[in-house]
Amino acid sequence: MKINQIYKQTLGLIVVGLSVSGCGSDENNNAVVTPPKEEVSCPSVMDEKQFLDAQALEKMVQVGPDLAQLRTTGSQAHQQLIDWVELETKKIKGMQLKSDAYEIQRWQPTATAENGKGRSLSRSGQLSVNGKEVAIAGAVPYSLGTTLAGNSGQLIFLASNQPITAEHKGKIIVREIPTSQDPVYANMVAPPYAFLFQFAKYLSTSLNEFKTQRYDRPFLAGELMNKDLIAAGKVGAAGVILGFDVPREQVKDYFDPHNGLHYRVPAVFLGADEFAEIKASAIENTQAKIMVQAERDTATTRNLIATLPGLSDEKIVFVANTDGNTWVQENGVSGMIALAQYFAKLPLKCRPKTYEFAFNTGHLHMSKEGTFRYMEKLNQEYDQGKVSFVFAVEHLGTREIVAKPRTDGAFGRTLEFTGKAEAQAWFVPEDHPLMLKVATDAAERRKLPKVMVSSGQDMPNAQRLPKQCDFGGIGSASHQNLIPTMATISGPWSLWAPSFGKEAVDFNLMRDQLLAIGDSVLALQNHTKAEVDGPYTSWRAARDQGKLVCSHSTNSGIEDAPVQ
């Protein structure tokens, strides 16, 4: 991995004082005595008076959407956002910056957004039936670009239990995105909260009311969409139509899957009303035409790594992704800048470890996910005793949005804010009582309204170390590399649906979550390496012995959907 040093600001010398005493008995030769300076105590928790307020956080998060609504990996808007992060972190005294640049096969829709800023998914696709245009929510990310003539074929509706096979060659496949009502995939796309809660070590009391409900969020259907798009490409389908059961305007410009696989078939998203119309047409074997305007090229993107030196080289690492399409997706970036500004104000004596802030790319292009790339090097540094632990920071301050039945009698549901916080997961490793206590204490101290401190979201495998490997997001990258990890994340409707704008984020809640994160770091940084390592020491030993441990295939480097 080639790392280029792009900026370095050395630590300034701190002059504590100089005391000179006189010699001899001359009464006029008075000794000069400097009164002792008052000892500065190091904080054990974050001083919220010294931390950014909610309005300042909002202004930082707004930078991304102001550049462009769609900030895909390697796009101009994404590059501009990374440049802004670089400028902001350069302002922090003592910060050292470096970049890790690498190439990707970039995918972008070609149509310009209505406001002229960046590209638009909703304007980069078309669908027509019998010559009549049908309004779409957007082109599906990484779907195959067509000519302006598009692809024509017979509509064929396939229920969730019907596989895509060779007989669908040349057809335009119509699929409903599975929800909690799906007879096959309900538990996958809308698992019972009770399933998730069984791994919880701590639950906010407000979560008790959800024990009989389902966690119904569309991001959980992303892998099913990915598999359908791969399968449709393999059989030579003319196109794919994926239908939501909520209004088109609420899912306009939706961005998922984000696997970073270039599919071999054009595809579009529809809202509920349009999908009901297309589904009826498919039952009648109607002809349709699908068109996607998209381009693929080679582009360079980069991870930006900002390091704030402490008393030792052993570092605490924060990670977030810089690419996104909503006010939610990459707002951890602003949170990390705020934390960096705060920690830089602490006296050096109060920074026993170095802080590293990894602003990583490629989360919207997971075949070359920047955080997994970064962790490959960090894993080597951990073996050298240079890494304490990692904290992944994602999707902060989110407001709860739920799907409710429509009142007009039409197909599907509609999305509404509940006025409450979205559930927040705070992952800590199993069998690590120190991290569990630190996380729980921080959540209670900051009165986080709806948090679950959990050891993972996957089914435990008793034959594997650790038994749970999935921390829900980019925190999995370090945990699966067996580097001590904490991670916080949420998965609201507004994660990939930009229509909710800044209303999707409660910036006071975001601030409280960041204070809790800071509290946990201040608590852990004074513990010994052995205490922070906890069970990871034995897990890494098991890996060295060839035993079954967590692993990943996310950063495969394969950017094309398979042919066979």
Side-chain angles (χ1 to χ4, degrees), residues 1 65 110 124 156 178 186 219 236 242 254 260 292 294 350 370 373 375 514:
M1 185 186 300
T110 58
S124 293
I156 178 78
F219 79 91
L242 298 172
Y254 192 89
V292 169
C350 299
R373 177 184 174 93
M375 290 303 164
L514 288 166

Side-chain angles (χ1 to χ4, degrees), residues 366-561:
M366 289 186 66
S367 57
K368 286 193 170 181
E369 165 79 65
T371 295
F372 279 90
R373 177 184 174 93
Y374 169 80
M375 290 303 164
E376 292 171 5
K377 183 174 184 297
L378 200 72
N379 189 45
Q380 298 172 4
E381 293 180 321
Y382 183 87
D383 283 333
Q384 299 165 5
K386 296 180 179 179
V387 180
S388 179
F389 67 94
V390 173
F391 207 126
V393 184
E394 296 186 87
H395 316 159
L396 300 170
T398 51
R399 290 187 165 113
E400 185 180 52
I401 301 167
V402 298
K404 294 186 176 182
R406 291 173 65 167
T407 57
D408 58 4
F411 165 73
R413 305 175 293 174
T414 189
L415 300 175
E416 297 179 5
F417 283 103
T418 65
K420 300 177 182 179
E422 174 76 355
Q424 173 195 0
W426 187 326
F427 292 108
V428 298
E430 62 202 55
D431 303 323
H432 202 315
L434 172 61
M435 281 194 171
L436 173 60
K437 183 179 188 307
V438 165
T440 302
D441 287 350
E444 290 183 334
R445 181 182 302 110
R446 300 300 173 180
K447 297 180 174 58
L448 300 185
K450 198 185 289 185
V451 64
M452 172 183 72
V453 180
S454 174
S455 55
Q457 66 176 22
D458 53 331
M459 278 297 296
N461 180 347
Q463 307 304 314
R464 182 184 62 204
L465 294 172
K467 294 186 284 292
Q468 287 182 284
C469 299
D470 191 349
F471 273 13
I474 59 176
S476 298
S478 49
H479 182 55
Q480 290 171 5
N481 271 289
L482 305 183
I483 301 169
T485 302
M486 278 188 173
T488 188
I489 191 170
S490 65
W493 270 92
S494 55
L495 175 59
W496 295 115
S499 65
F500 299 97
K502 71 177 181 180
E503 298 306 314
V505 181
D506 178 340
F507 291 96
N508 287 303
L509 173 58
M510 177 180 178
R511 185 174 187 268
D512 288 341
Q513 291 170 340
L514 288 166
L515 289 169
I517 290 169
D519 287 349
S520 65
V521 169
L522 291 174
L524 285 173
Q525 71 176 2
N526 292 313
H527 283 271
T528 66
K529 182 164 177 53
E531 291 171 331
V532 174
D533 287 349
Y536 285 94
T537 302
S538 61
W539 296 342
R540 292 176 75 90
R543 181 173 65 187
D544 293 341
Q545 296 164 13
K547 295 180 180 179
L548 181 63
V549 296
C550 294
S551 62
H552 70 86
S553 59
T554 301
N555 217 39
S556 64
I558 299 172
E559 296 174 273
D560 289 292

